[in-house]
Amino acid sequence: MRERLRSVFRTGLRWKLSAAIALVGALVAIALSLVVHNAAQLSMLDSARDVQDQRVQFAQRIYETTGRLQFGATLDDPGLPKALRERVAKNRRATYIASGPEGRPDIWAALPLSNGHVLSLHTRWSTRKQRIMQDLDQALVIGSIAVVLGGSALGVLIGGQLSRRLRKAAAAAREVARGRRDVQVRQAIGGIVRDETDDLARAVDAMADALRQRLEAERRVTADIAHELRTPVTGLLTAAELLPPGRPTELVKDRAQLLRTLVEDVLEVARLDSAAERAELQELMLGEFVERRVRTFDAGISVRVLRESEVVTDPRRLERILGNLLANAARHGQGPVEVTVEGRVVRVRDHGSGFPAELLAQGPSRFRTGSADRSGGGHGLGLTIAAGQARVLGARLTFRNLLPPGAAPDSPAEGAVAVLWLPEHAPTDGGGAPDTV
């Protein structure tokens, strides 16, 4: 459930950056709007209080001179707010803002007269001022929305550019991981602007170069050791032929032949790792070719051609792949072994306990034969060679286990299937798609 929620809420960098900028912009816009609204309202209220204070003073002079009340002034208004009445009782002139109906403020001004009465003025917040505040609030809302949208657009622009560069870097890094030696992450991301992605790209390129040098050194050492072993192993086989017949002689010959096969396989793996192998292409009918080669390997293996297809590939390498897959099924799986050809796809299935989890997760690995159920004999080089030859052909080799219908993912397998996907177009550079598990 947690993984599902993570996949639902997983978004790209551009949207995260845009959302962050929009959120910050919205908070800033709201804060500024509140400050501007309050400042404008306070300024207008202060101005209204000043005007009311001046009017009550003019009304006082007129009343004391002529005895008439002007500007709507009243004497001893019973509605005078208590706070204002207390201040006037201290013989002080004062103004006061009270809450009126519909949320509109009332502006009061009052002062004590010499005859002991209280002269006061009371006006309501004008409709014009109320409209001004509403227009101001509307302008602030529109401005806030514009700021949020502009910030979001800027976030999408900046985040999109950064996300594009990172995606290019990730794609180039994947090509490097697949064995492409002509790919440089820094060149792949391009661009004129230099930022942290360039530092990341250079670091990845430096790491890839160091790993390539280390792998090349290991490959050369492995190839040199295998090449040096070739001569003494051949001599050992020759010497074994001179031994007198018997069970010990057969054991020596068998072990010597196994050692020779191992040396040859190690040399082949080293050549495939060097990425110098090239396919010798020919046109052939895939179904007919597979039937003929499987019959040579084991006449008891079932072959079904669901759809014939003409392909352009290297027959020798294709035969090597097919032979290794059949040998692996016979050695580590259980019968019956079935081969199916459908167009450009060849499937080899056994009815054993399935491939080990490490192989399904990481692909074939040399000198690793899997779990005890499929360990048997061998040195783990058969599938490694098959995957390497598939790369030379530009093909894709996948491995999976077959589970009973409706079974849980961790249920025991009912067999293992290796699928070889030949390319639609012949390879031109010694290899195409890598093996994928």
Side-chain angles (χ1 to χ4, degrees):
M1 182 64 180
R2 182 177 300 176
E3 294 297 329
R4 185 178 300 176
L5 290 176
R6 287 179 180 175
S7 63
V8 169
F9 290 104
R10 182 180 179 182
T11 56
L13 180 62
R14 67 165 65 185
W15 302 115
K16 291 179 181 179
L17 186 59
S18 176
I21 293 179
L23 180 61
V24 173
L27 294 177
V28 172
I30 291 173
L32 290 178
S33 298
L34 292 175
V35 170
V36 172
H37 174 86
N38 292 332
Q41 189 173 31
L42 289 176
S43 177
M44 295 180 69
L45 288 174
D46 289 342
S47 177
R49 294 176 72 165
D50 292 339
V51 171
Q52 197 77 324
D53 183 56
Q54 294 176 4
R55 292 178 64 192
V56 76
Q57 293 183 60
F58 285 137
Q60 176 191 13
R61 295 193 189 99
I62 294 173
Y63 177 76
E64 290 178 348
T65 303
T66 64
R68 291 181 299 175
L69 296 174
Q70 298 290 334
F71 309 117
T74 58
L75 292 176
D76 301 327
D77 190 343
L80 198 66
K82 180 180 179 181
L84 183 58
R85 190 185 301 277
E86 291 176 353
R87 298 179 72 177
V88 173
K90 297 178 182 180
N91 199 28
R92 296 171 58 186
R93 186 180 77 251
T95 58
Y96 186 77
I97 303 295
S99 298
E102 301 178 359
R104 295 166 61 182
D106 291 341
I107 298 93
W108 289 84
L111 52 76
L113 298 175
S114 56
N115 56 8
H117 294 286
V118 175
L119 180 66
S120 62
L121 284 176
H122 171 219
T123 58
R124 296 191 182 280
W125 189 257
S126 65
T127 304
R128 186 179 65 85
K129 293 180 180 179
Q130 186 72 14
R131 191 180 303 113
I132 291 175
M133 290 301 302
Q134 292 176 352
D135 293 341
L136 176 62
D137 291 341
Q138 184 178 3
L140 291 175
V141 170
I142 295 175
S144 300
I145 294 175
V147 168
V148 172
L149 293 179
S152 300
L154 182 62
V156 170
L157 181 63
I158 298 176
Q161 182 180 6
L162 182 59
S163 179
R164 252 188 324 271
R165 290 168 64 84
L166 290 176
R167 281 199 302 270
K168 290 180 180 179
R174 282 192 292 268
E175 292 296 324
V176 172
R178 290 171 181 170
R180 291 281 302 275
R181 301 190 176 189
D182 57 336
V183 175
Q184 291 288 326
V185 178
R186 177 62 194 87
Q187 295 178 358
I189 63 177
I192 301 176
V193 179
R194 297 292 182 262
D195 52 23
E196 286 78 3
T197 55
D198 294 273
D199 299 334
L200 175 62
R202 292 190 183 92
V204 172
D205 288 337
M207 180 184 66
D209 290 339
L211 289 175
R212 274 195 290 263
Q213 293 174 7
R214 180 175 179 180
L215 291 175
E216 180 62 21
E218 292 179 355
R219 186 197 65 79
R220 284 198 299 266
V221 170
T222 303
D224 292 343
I225 292 175
H227 190 271
E228 292 298 325
L229 286 174
R230 211 173 192 179
T231 301
V233 168
T234 303
L236 181 61
L237 279 172
T238 303
E241 296 293 336
L242 302 178
L243 295 175
R247 180 60 180 166
T249 299
E250 293 178 0
L251 290 176
V252 171
K253 289 181 178 180
D254 179 70
R255 295 297 93 184
Q257 183 60 43
L258 180 63
L259 182 59
R260 180 178 182 178
T261 302
L262 174 60
V263 171
E264 295 296 334
D265 286 346
V266 170
L267 282 173
E268 185 173 0
V269 170
R271 288 195 301 270
L272 292 172
D273 287 344
S274 68
E277 294 287 285
R278 294 295 181 267
E280 298 178 2
L281 305 176
Q282 297 181 22
E283 294 183 359
L284 54 87
M285 303 304 294
L286 183 59
E288 178 184 349
F289 178 86
V290 171
E291 280 186 310
R292 191 165 56 250
R293 293 301 184 270
V294 171
R295 196 178 301 116
T296 302
F297 183 86
D298 187 348
I301 296 178
S302 170
V303 180
R304 291 189 304 158
V305 180
L306 302 180
R307 180 163 55 88
E308 182 64 279
S309 176
E310 183 178 3
V311 297
V312 178
T313 188
D314 188 329
R316 181 180 63 83
R317 298 183 188 279
L318 180 58
E319 181 178 3
R320 179 67 161 150
I321 296 171
L322 188 60
N324 282 13
L325 295 180
L326 292 174
N328 181 80
R331 181 181 296 118
H332 301 299
Q334 296 179 7
V337 178
E338 303 172 353
V339 179
T340 305
V341 180
E342 184 176 2
R344 299 176 179 274
V345 181
V346 180
R347 293 179 175 87
V348 178
R349 182 198 171 177
D350 64 54
H351 290 74
S353 58
F355 291 113
E358 293 82 0
L359 187 144
L360 297 178
Q362 304 173 11
S365 179
R366 64 195 69 175
F367 301 109
R368 185 179 66 189
T369 58
S371 64
D373 294 335
R374 291 182 66 91
S375 59
H379 304 87
L381 295 178
L383 294 183
T384 302
I385 293 173
Q389 295 289 7
R391 280 194 297 269
V392 177
L393 296 180
R396 185 161 57 99
L397 185 59
T398 64
F399 305 92
R400 63 186 178 92
N401 291 334
L402 299 177
L403 301 177
D410 55 349
S411 301
E414 290 187 337
V417 57
V419 185
L420 178 67
W421 310 73
L422 291 175
E424 182 176 358
H425 302 287
T428 58
D429 57 353
D435 55 306
T436 304
V437 179

